[in-house]
Amino acid sequence: MPGVAALLVVMAAQPTAGRTRGGGTARTVDGVQARRGCDVANGGPVEHGYPHLRTVRESVTALYRRLSYDTVRTFSASVAPADVAFADVDDLHLGAQRVAREMVAHYRLPDARLIVGFREMTHAANVELTAGPEYFVELNDRFRDHRRDIGAALAHEVAHVYLHRLGLSFPSTRENEILTDTAAAYLGAGWLLLDAFREDRDSSQKLGYLTPEEFGYVLAKRALLFGEDPSVWFTSPQAYTAYREGLALARRDAEQPPLRAAGWAGRRRYARDRRHAQGDAEAPEAGRETVYRFSADDHGPLRVSFPCPTCHQRIRVPVAGRVRARCGLCRSVLECDT
């Protein structure tokens, strides 16, 4: 029995008194993957912030481990806006098939054939994950009148096919959907999902399982890796704002001790924690979390481990002053002051 993967859509209507940021009364529909059909859950306004950040970072690490550095580098070019443009005068079905072919080509699935249809349903889209080479994608009937977002929906669904063929998945349905959104964004198609986010005082729309800021974060990680600026393609002002917030967080990943780019306050906390690990200072205040961890082997030198700011795999180096570390997974060269 094939699995079914579905795309979440949040649509908020008229605002209500005392609403939080992101909309008013909303409907949230979650797709459930791998032989479980679809569950429907009534949710609230569009969620903001970084509630899934840990899983997002684990997803980036998983992509590098499964694909390798060399394969990730082949995705240096994002999907071009012109390749997925969809005018109202275009034939609906022919246009959807054209965009699907562009997504298949982008994800390098030359022998995969997507058959796109439209029907009335509560979620945005779903795809049957079979052995292939044909995959049936269903899009919500609302895309008949919102054709500009068809590319975003297909970016998510074809990412499901890509990960399915790779055999890359996480244990839970929610984690798998976060992995899919992260893969789409990191591999150059997911900027369309963020651009589908629109919000004003009366309504809002968001596709995907990541928050807008989390999409912005993943796109920023990709931008810092490949030197591209996806914000020039955004048609949604809210997407641009979310991207800038995500970019600020992505830059902070490279400014955490023991990296030499860390700020004064972080370096001071790090030095205190290092003295404690060496037995020369009292323990840090309870409840304070850090990205680095100190450890020592029997009769061995003190070492510190920390996440790579590119792929988030943990790196372990000796506490020996200024050192240069190379991540074995993403090949980033990191200047450290341990």
Side-chain angles (χ1 to χ4, degrees):
M1 180 178 179
V4 176
L7 176 62
L8 176 146
V9 59
V10 176
M11 298 179 64
Q14 295 296 327
T16 58
R19 74 185 181 115
T20 59
R21 179 187 176 196
T25 303
R27 181 180 65 196
T28 304
V29 183
D30 291 336
V32 177
Q33 189 180 12
R35 300 188 177 91
R36 288 186 58 192
C38 294
D39 285 348
V40 178
N42 292 321
V46 173
E47 189 174 24
H48 286 269
Y50 303 95
H52 315 111
L53 186 58
R54 179 175 179 177
T55 306
V56 167
R57 288 170 170 165
E58 290 172 350
S59 297
V60 173
T61 306
L63 283 174
Y64 273 97
R65 286 177 177 165
R66 183 63 184 86
L67 295 179
S68 80
Y69 163 85
D70 291 323
T71 303
V72 170
R73 297 294 300 190
T74 65
F75 288 91
S76 59
S78 291
V79 172
D83 292 338
V84 293
F86 206 131
D88 290 339
V89 297
D90 292 344
D91 180 271
L92 177 66
H93 294 280
L94 292 178
Q97 290 297 151
R98 173 182 58 80
V99 175
R101 287 194 298 270
E102 290 292 343
M103 288 298 168
V104 167
H106 177 76
Y107 286 106
R108 292 156 179 76
L109 299 169
D111 60 336
R113 297 192 299 274
L114 263 66
I115 300 173
V116 183
F118 297 81
R119 71 174 177 88
E120 239 183 84
M121 53 184 176
T122 51
H123 42 279
N126 64 47
V127 60
E128 288 189 39
L129 298 177
T130 64
E134 291 185 340
Y135 299 90
F136 294 88
V137 177
E138 293 180 315
L139 300 182
N140 193 301
D141 264 342
R142 67 183 297 272
F143 288 113
R144 294 177 183 270
D145 300 319
H146 296 81
R147 301 183 182 189
R148 61 183 287 190
D149 296 327
I150 286 177
L154 290 175
H156 179 96
E157 300 308 325
V158 182
H160 266 302
V161 175
Y162 182 67
L163 296 175
H164 174 67
R165 286 196 167 192
L166 286 175
L168 177 57
S169 64
F170 281 174
S172 76
T173 298
R174 173 66 64 169
E175 289 174 330
N176 263 326
E177 295 293 352
I178 293 170
L179 170 64
T180 303
D181 276 342
T182 303
Y186 202 78
L187 299 181
W191 68 267
L192 290 158
L193 284 157
L194 180 54
D195 196 40
F197 168 55
R198 291 181 284 278
E199 187 175 50
D200 56 37
R201 64 182 299 275
D202 296 322
S203 64
S204 62
Q205 170 189 282
K206 183 181 78 68
L207 298 181
Y209 289 73
L210 300 185
T211 68
E213 292 76 19
E214 288 168 341
F215 270 122
Y217 173 77
V218 180
L219 291 172
K221 301 290 282 189
R222 171 185 169 80
L224 294 173
L225 177 66
F226 292 118
E228 73 174 9
D229 181 7
S231 65
V232 299
W233 304 321
F234 293 149
T235 60
S236 164
Q238 294 79 25
Y240 181 83
T241 300
Y243 173 72
R244 301 307 297 183
E245 292 189 22
L247 178 60
L249 180 60
R251 284 174 171 161
R252 287 199 294 273
D253 285 348
E255 297 171 353
Q256 300 296 319
L259 298 174
R260 286 174 58 183
W264 175 83
R267 297 298 311 159
R268 184 176 181 181
R269 287 193 299 269
Y270 176 84
R272 179 187 176 92
D273 293 341
R274 181 180 58 202
R275 290 196 302 271
H276 167 68
Q278 294 169 332
D280 297 331
E282 61 185 44
E285 59 269 23
R288 179 164 65 83
E289 295 184 0
T290 61
V291 299
Y292 50 83
R293 303 171 193 155
F294 293 99
S295 62
D297 301 328
D298 292 340
H299 309 294
L302 185 67
R303 292 177 175 271
V304 61
S305 68
F306 59 96
C308 170
T310 300
C311 69
H312 300 286
Q313 175 177 256
R314 295 198 72 85
I315 298 171
R316 194 164 178 250
V317 297
V319 175
R322 292 192 173 186
V323 298
R324 177 176 291 177
R326 182 183 178 90
C327 178
L329 191 59
C330 69
R331 303 185 188 178
S332 296
V333 177
L334 309 172
E335 299 290 341
C336 309
D337 189 352
T338 61

